[in-house]
Amino acid sequence: MDLVPLKLVTIVAESILEKKLVEEIKRLGAKGYTIVPARGEGSRGMRSLDWEGQNIRLETIVPEEVALRILARLQEAYFPHYAVIAYVENVWVVRGEKYI
Amino acid sequence: MDLVPLKLVTIVAESILEKKLVEEIKRLGAKGYTIVPARGEGSRGMRSLDWEGQNIRLETIVPEEVALRILARLQEAYFPHYAVIAYVENVWVVRGEKYI
Amino acid sequence: MDLVPLKLVTIVAESILEKKLVEEIKRLGAKGYTIVPARGEGSRGMRSLDWEGQNIRLETIVPEEVALRILARLQEAYFPHYAVIAYVENVWVVRGEKYI
């Protein structure tokens, strides 16, 4: 079986950002995504515990260059204004062509 | 502390497949699993956005050989017929004997 | 973009433990966490399938030393008494200073 190495990008954000984030990641090259409702606490700048409301946990499997584009876009347009966290992991998938 | 390296297999599929998938992974050697309800978009072959309905995100921690068996079974019996994605990650666990 | 390597610790446990677990991980150094409701099956000692009830899947991004402290605490105070699984993964984050 051919396992293809790709990047899993996970974004946790306020639910109100869902539509915008989905549009962003598609525009930047993501072919699909999975969302689960989530809750939690985090810190944003000096304030902490500032997003105990409803959140989403969005994940998307993408090539490395798309992952970097997504993170750069988050850094530019979201991190300064919203309570958003994002992280990248290494994953291996079957049918790697679906994600490119 | 002994951290044991294992594989985390994540499967995202239509909810209707839950019972079958759980049976498959147990039959192939998984000792446990975690499911969260999910939604999303993906592509299957030429069509895209074809599973906006209710999905599940199922994850199971297994030895590498079980991970490969699960992926092979998905490739053989599920990928051709259903909107399913699956990916593998490296994880480290305490109490590794629980997963073997 | 600076991507900072950190550890993602995921804990799956009975929901009744949520408050205690959140207190523990914060006390041990976690700055934030994400929780999603989950269900599943697992094994605890000789019994299996013993936690089909409501579970939580809690994840937190932390420096390695905090990850090890969390796992050690789970091993000492939770694994002997509760149906809990925990695993660690390598992740890369933007704005690594938020997690330290």
Side-chain angles (χ1 to χ4, degrees):
Chain A
M1 186 168 17
D2 278 349
L3 285 180
V4 177
L6 286 167
K7 299 296 177 182
L8 175 67
V9 178
T10 302
I11 303 168
V12 182
E14 300 156 84
S15 331
I16 200 172
L17 293 177
E18 176 173 334
K19 192 153 169 287
K20 280 182 70 171
L21 287 171
V22 166
E23 284 168 4
E24 295 273 14
I25 65 167
K26 286 183 177 175
R27 185 176 58 81
L28 297 169
K31 302 301 185 202
Y33 62 88
T34 299
I35 288 177
V36 302
R39 58 205 153 81
E41 291 178 31
S43 61
R44 184 176 57 175
M46 289 304 102
R47 290 181 290 153
S48 68
L49 317 192
D50 62 349
W51 44 292
E52 289 217 36
Q54 184 62 35
N55 299 307
I56 53 162
R57 182 184 186 280
L58 181 162
E59 60 185 18
T60 183
I61 295 173
V62 292
E64 181 165 22
E65 61 173 41
V66 176
L68 294 176
R69 263 186 248 147
I70 291 172
L71 294 177
R73 178 64 184 152
L74 291 175
Q75 184 159 35
E76 171 198 52
Y78 290 82
F79 288 165
H81 309 295
Y82 302 105
V84 173
I85 68 167
Y87 55 89
V88 182
E89 290 166 278
N90 294 317
V91 296
W92 287 262
V93 303
V94 190
R95 300 197 297 177
E97 73 285 356
K98 283 171 51 83
Y99 304 91
I100 293 169
Chain B
M1 184 170 18
D2 278 349
L3 286 179
V4 177
L6 285 167
K7 299 296 178 183
L8 174 67
V9 178
T10 302
I11 303 169
V12 182
E14 300 157 85
S15 329
I16 201 172
L17 293 178
E18 176 173 333
K19 191 154 170 285
K20 280 183 70 171
L21 287 171
V22 166
E23 285 169 5
E24 296 274 14
I25 65 168
K26 286 182 178 177
R27 185 176 58 80
L28 296 169
K31 301 300 184 204
Y33 62 88
T34 299
I35 288 178
V36 302
R39 59 206 152 80
E41 292 178 31
S43 62
R44 184 174 55 176
M46 289 303 103
R47 290 180 292 152
S48 69
L49 316 193
D50 61 351
W51 45 292
E52 288 217 37
Q54 183 61 36
N55 299 308
I56 53 163
R57 183 183 184 281
L58 181 162
E59 60 184 19
T60 183
I61 294 173
V62 292
E64 181 165 22
E65 62 173 42
V66 175
L68 293 176
R69 261 185 248 147
I70 290 172
L71 293 178
R73 178 62 184 153
L74 292 175
Q75 184 160 36
E76 170 197 54
Y78 289 83
F79 288 164
H81 308 296
Y82 302 104
V84 173
I85 68 166
Y87 55 88
V88 182
E89 289 166 278
N90 294 317
V91 297
W92 287 263
V93 304
V94 191
R95 300 196 298 175
E97 73 285 356
K98 284 171 50 82
Y99 304 92
I100 293 169
Chain C
M1 187 169 16
D2 277 350
L3 286 179
V4 176
L6 286 167
K7 299 296 178 183
L8 174 68
V9 178
T10 302
I11 302 169
V12 182
E14 300 158 84
S15 329
I16 201 172
L17 293 177
E18 176 173 333
K19 192 154 169 287
K20 281 182 68 170
L21 287 171
V22 166
E23 285 167 4
E24 296 273 14
I25 65 168
K26 286 182 178 175
R27 185 176 58 80
L28 297 168
K31 302 300 184 202
Y33 62 88
T34 300
I35 288 178
V36 302
R39 58 206 153 80
E41 291 178 31
S43 61
R44 184 175 57 178
M46 289 303 102
R47 290 181 292 152
S48 68
L49 316 192
D50 61 350
W51 45 293
E52 290 218 34
Q54 184 62 34
N55 298 309
I56 52 162
R57 182 183 186 281
L58 181 162
E59 59 185 19
T60 184
I61 294 173
V62 292
E64 181 164 22
E65 62 174 41
V66 176
L68 293 176
R69 263 186 248 146
I70 291 173
L71 294 177
R73 178 63 184 153
L74 292 175
Q75 183 159 37
E76 171 198 54
Y78 290 83
F79 288 164
H81 309 296
Y82 301 105
V84 172
I85 69 167
Y87 56 88
V88 182
E89 289 166 277
N90 294 317
V91 296
W92 287 262
V93 304
V94 190
R95 300 196 298 176
E97 72 284 358
K98 283 170 52 81
Y99 305 92
I100 292 168

